[in-house]
């Protein structure tokens, strides 16, 4: 008998509803994934009851002897995974991880240089609406007309701006990021190089994407995207002085008691990432994204940068009458969940946009491979070629239901 069902039927019912939604739609938001039942079990564990301000073996509370062992295991596993020396596993999210990095390395009004949000960057990379753009003077680089980062241009901007820190890493960039080139640029202007690998971390740890180490001074990531762990953040470095500053910035700088149940789940996630099967998963994630890109491109859709090197593609509708919002809605009605996204050369508002971002990580976790992704690409094209045609949406929704029923995510309730 479920405790939740017994004690709070209203929330139980919504958990059930969400499980149905996740099970019978195709989750293609590039930043989402399906955590394993073991990860979810750890998130719901008794570690949630424990206050443990401080770090392993240096706490401000008694009764931390078990939490200490557990958090140390999480640290050791993530260091092994990324091949680095120091890790902070306490950030509650990617945004707080990034805020911690800035607080550790910068003073208010220092200059930072990051990727423009509208060209694939992230809010926390200096966008004016985020604390990163309010606390620091932020400047931006973007992509060239080929949809790829123009490293010569980044260097030119860096020379003019003279930032104290350069952020690389993106939220909507389908190509490999060249951390070595970024480090060369950072060294030329005497800046820290900060790599936010949230999107590509699961590929990096499988050697399916260049590693930010040894190039970046500091690296952050979320743990719930391609890494497939619980929702949360991490900060990594090889530099002892930086690691001390990071630890003070996270606690007591911006956070209080760490979410030890989430840290336990992070440890479980890292254990899964360290298994040999992880490499097979990461390879398939890339193969699946490439299938989407190849088929949609053959069917006449404009794929930003002409393809993908990672887990996502960006489809541009700059040359179409419908918007990213229209496409997101149409695919949503058809059971395919994606998000609208700005594209390079954007001429619509961020609430409307001219593109959608489509990711392969979550469905690959469900076991879908070449044949399923070929089918899905064809369905996406069918919907996009019939915007406004509800009969097509209904037909595709049925087909999506049939496909997803064969790839059930959780064979028993995990809540
Ligand atoms: N909002 C996340 C994404 O979708 O990429 C990043 O924080």
């Amino acid at each position: 008998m479920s405790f939740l069902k017994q004690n709070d039927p209203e929330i139980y019912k919504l958990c059930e509803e969400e499980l149905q939604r996740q099970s019978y739609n195709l989750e293609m938001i590039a930043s989402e994934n399906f955590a394993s039942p073991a990860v979810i079990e750890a998130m719901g564990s008794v570690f949630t009851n424990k206050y443990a301000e401080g770090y392993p073996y240096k706490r401000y509370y008694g009764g931390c002897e078990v939490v200490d062992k557990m958090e140390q295991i999480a640290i050791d596993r993530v260091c092994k995974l990324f091949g680095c020396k120091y890790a902070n596993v306490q950030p509650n999210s990617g945004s707080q991880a990034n805020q911690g990095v800035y607080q550790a390395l910068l003073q208010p009004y220092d200059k930072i240089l990051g990727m423009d949000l509208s060209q694939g960057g992230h809010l926390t990379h200096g966008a004016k609406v985020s604390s990163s753009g309010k606390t620091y003077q932020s400047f931006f680089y973007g992509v060239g007309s080929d949809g790829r980062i123009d490293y010569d241009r980044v260097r030119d901007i860096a020379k003019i701006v003279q930032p104290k820190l350069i952020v690389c890493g993106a939220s909507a960039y389908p190509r490999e990021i060249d951390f070595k080139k970024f480090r060369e640029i950072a060294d030329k202007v005497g800046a820290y190089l900060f790599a936010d690998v949230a999107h590509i971390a699961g590929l990096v740890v499988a050697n399916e994407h260049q590693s930010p180490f040894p190039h970046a001074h500091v690296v952050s990531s979320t743990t719930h995207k391609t890494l497939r762990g619980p929702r949360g953040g991490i900060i990594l470095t090889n530099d002892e002085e930086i690691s001390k500053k990071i630890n003070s910035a996270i606690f007591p700088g911006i956070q209080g008691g760490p979410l030890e149940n989430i840290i336990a789940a992070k440890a479980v996630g890292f254990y899964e990432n360290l298994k040999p099967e992880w490499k097979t998963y990461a390879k398939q994630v890339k193969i699946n994204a490439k299938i989407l890109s190849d088929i949609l491109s053959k069917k006449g859709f404009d794929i930003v940068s002409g393809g993908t090197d990672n887990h996502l593609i960006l489809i541009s509708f700059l040359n179409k009458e419908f918007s990213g919002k229209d496409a997101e809605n149409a695919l949503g009605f058809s059971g395919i969940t994606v998000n609208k996204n700005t594209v390079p050369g954007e001429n619509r508002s961020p609430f409307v946009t001219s593109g959608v971002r489509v990711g392969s990580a979550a469905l690959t976790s469900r076991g879908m491979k070449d044949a399923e992704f070929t089918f899905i690409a064809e369905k996406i094209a069918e919907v996009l070629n019939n915007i406004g045609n509800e009969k097509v949406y209904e037909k595709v929704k049925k087909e999506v239901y049939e496909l997803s029923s064969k790839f059930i995510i959780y064979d028993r309730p995990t809540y």
Side-chain angles (χ1 to χ4, degrees), residues 105-393:
L105 302 180
L106 304 172
Q107 294 300 320
Y109 307 111
D110 275 348
K111 294 180 193 167
I112 63 172
L113 175 61
M115 191 166 184
D116 197 321
L117 178 63
S118 69
Q119 308 226 1
H122 188 254
L123 278 167
T124 59
H125 296 182
K128 299 297 176 193
V129 290
S130 124
S131 78
S132 61
K134 291 184 202 283
T135 312
Y136 310 102
Q137 295 185 66
S138 52
F139 298 84
F140 301 100
Y141 58 86
V143 294
S145 52
D146 58 358
R148 292 171 187 252
I149 294 170
D150 178 344
Y151 292 90
D152 291 337
R153 180 105 183 96
V154 179
R155 193 190 50 232
D156 292 346
I157 298 171
K159 276 186 182 161
I160 296 166
V161 170
Q162 294 289 317
K164 186 154 176 201
L165 178 147
I166 296 177
V167 198
C168 61
S171 273
Y173 184 64
R175 293 300 185 176
E176 176 111 3
I177 292 172
D178 194 334
F179 297 112
K180 187 165 183 278
K181 273 194 189 153
F182 267 111
R183 177 61 186 260
E184 283 162 12
I185 297 168
D187 282 347
K188 278 217 160 56
V189 297
Y192 286 115
L193 180 64
F194 166 32
D196 173 351
V197 299
H199 264 267
I200 52 172
L203 305 180
V204 166
V205 301
N207 279 328
E208 288 295 320
H209 189 291
Q210 186 186 130
S211 172
F213 291 114
H215 311 296
H217 295 96
V218 59
V219 174
S220 76
S221 181
T222 51
T223 44
H224 51 275
K225 296 187 177 87
T226 49
L227 276 181
R228 208 166 71 188
R231 189 159 291 277
I234 47 173
I235 306 173
L236 313 168
T237 183
N238 275 323
D239 184 312
E240 191 178 0
E241 284 313 304
I242 291 180
S243 87
K244 286 182 186 159
K245 288 182 185 171
I246 297 278
N247 285 352
S248 308
I250 291 296
F251 172 81
I254 58 175
Q255 289 187 179
L259 310 180
E260 293 296 343
N261 56 322
I262 300 298
I263 293 172
K266 285 175 184 173
V268 176
F270 301 146
Y271 182 73
E272 293 174 2
N273 303 144
L274 282 163
K275 287 185 178 171
E277 315 70 288
W278 189 260
K279 290 191 197 305
T280 316
Y281 166 71
K283 260 193 191 18
Q284 191 66 47
V285 166
K286 281 173 66 176
I287 292 169
N288 288 347
K290 191 160 183 322
I291 290 170
L292 294 175
S293 165
D294 289 350
I295 293 179
L296 287 162
S297 165
K298 267 193 208 122
K299 289 186 177 285
F301 290 95
D302 180 8
I303 306 297
V304 172
S305 83
T308 177
D309 300 328
N310 57 26
H311 63 301
L312 67 86
I313 64 166
L314 269 177
I315 315 174
S316 168
F317 309 122
L318 281 174
N319 58 356
K320 303 267 185 206
E321 284 181 4
F322 61 86
S323 66
K325 188 177 174 186
D326 296 330
E328 179 190 299
N329 287 337
L331 289 165
F333 288 134
S334 313
I336 301 172
T337 314
V338 301
N339 65 282
K340 61 180 181 284
N341 217 98
T342 52
V343 290
E346 186 57 70
N347 53 21
R348 294 179 170 108
S349 92
F351 298 106
V352 180
T353 79
S354 298
V356 286
R357 186 182 67 161
V358 186
S360 60
L363 294 184
T364 309
S365 294
R366 288 180 73 169
M368 295 190 193
K369 297 197 173 81
D370 305 39
E372 292 77 31
F373 270 80
T374 301
F375 176 79
I376 293 165
E378 278 161 6
K379 294 297 125 186
I380 291 175
E382 190 175 338
V383 173
L384 295 179
N385 281 328
N386 288 283
I387 295 280
N389 187 334
E390 288 176 16
K391 283 208 173 111
V392 171
Y393 303 164

